[in-house]
Structure formats: structure tokens, C-alpha cells
Amino acid sequence: MATVNLSDYRPLKINNASSFRIGIVVSEWNDFVTYNLRDGAIEVLKKEGIPIDNISVFPVPGAFELSYASMQLCKQGNFDAVIAIGCVIRGETSHFDYVCSAVAQGIKDCNILSDVPAIFCVLTDDKKEQSVARSGGALGNKGVEAAVTALQMIEFKRNIS
């Protein structure tokens, strides 16, 4: 995803988006950020014509659990795309580095080991203010960008099939 504000949503004009099924895995840790990301993603998906019944949200305790949950959804084959939403804010220990690396690798593995696009929407910021700015604040909402990316990847997959 880009590091500029792409949250100024413009319709994608995707045909048959109403048939898309999206799984959203959202971390409950730092929910003051992740719930805004989730809501931004859902708003875009609905604007593109995806019925709310085709959008399934699965909460998990923290960012580390996103990989497992996303892989389970990808393996099921019930979804056209999976969006993994989380937020890790740097602390005083190296825990931040281990979690961020593991989650990035886990979502990458979903893309390599399954046929379902898995979208990485995990903020990895140094400060709380940076996460707030990227979850509906001054720098937009990365959840919006993740939804747009999911839709574009579904289209990509359908175009090459």
C-alpha cells in the first residue's frame, strides 16, 4: 500500500462486485485504530456494491494472530479476498520487531500458499499519533486503501483466469 493519502476514494467501476465475498480479520489490540481501519474498509466495499452479507468480520486478540486467522480463511475458499487489519506501535523492547516481521511474513505466506489474495493492512508505527493519523486522521485511512487493493486483486485474479 502507498504511503500517501489514497483515502480520497474514487469509485473503481468494477463489474459484478456484488458477487464478491470478503473476509476481514481485525485485531482487537489497539482497537482505537483497528476499528477505524475496519470501518473504512467496509465503507468502500459497500460503496462498490458488495452486500453487507458478503462481508464477514473475524476479530482476533492481537496482530500476531492475524496470520493464522487469515490463512484459515484463505484455505476455506469461501472468500475472494481476505484483509488483515492490525496495528503495532513500537514500545521499549524488540517485541515490536518480532511481531511486525512475523505478521508480514504470515500474510505473505497466505498469498503464496493459497489462491486467495490476502491484503496486509497492519500499521507499524513508532507512535500512537502516527497510527491515529493513518486510521482516519490527517493521512487518511489505510483501511480504505486495503479495500481498494482487495478489489483490484480480485479483478486481477478474474482477468487472468
Side-chain angles (χ1 to χ4, degrees):
M1 292 187 301
T3 57
V4 297
N5 183 353
L6 297 177
S7 302
D8 296 329
Y9 166 74
R10 289 178 291 284
L12 298 174
K13 300 176 184 171
I14 293 176
N15 292 327
N16 301 319
S18 63
S19 67
F20 293 177
R21 295 159 302 150
I22 309 293
I24 299 175
V25 182
V26 60
S27 169
E28 293 182 320
W29 190 261
N30 291 325
D31 62 3
F32 66 95
V33 171
T34 61
Y35 288 3
N36 289 339
L37 297 170
R38 174 203 62 199
D39 294 347
I42 290 172
E43 181 181 330
V44 167
L45 297 172
K46 290 186 337 188
K47 283 181 180 178
E48 284 294 328
I50 299 176
I52 193 69
D53 290 342
N54 288 14
I55 304 168
S56 301
V57 178
F58 301 89
V60 295
F64 195 82
E65 292 75 27
L66 291 169
S67 298
Y68 174 81
S70 295
M71 181 62 83
Q72 296 308 306
L73 296 183
C74 287
K75 288 184 347 185
Q76 279 183 355
N78 294 331
F79 299 99
D80 296 298
V82 172
I83 302 171
I85 295 175
C87 174
V88 186
I89 301 171
R90 187 178 299 278
E92 297 176 357
T93 69
S94 58
H95 182 256
F96 172 88
D97 299 312
Y98 294 115
V99 171
C100 294
S101 179
V103 175
Q105 293 296 320
I107 302 307
K108 181 263 306 171
D109 288 347
C110 293
N111 283 297
I112 291 174
L113 299 173
S114 81
D115 196 35
V116 176
I119 310 307
F120 184 82
C121 182
V122 180
L123 300 184
T124 56
D125 294 313
D126 289 326
K127 299 177 183 170
K128 175 182 172 181
E129 296 77 22
Q130 293 170 318
S131 295
V132 170
R134 290 163 175 78
S135 62
L139 295 177
N141 186 318
K142 297 297 183 183
V144 168
E145 296 176 35
V148 168
T149 301
L151 294 168
Q152 290 174 327
M153 291 307 295
I154 294 168
E155 274 292 280
F156 171 81
K157 182 179 172 187
R158 289 189 175 185
N159 286 337
I160 65 168
S161 295

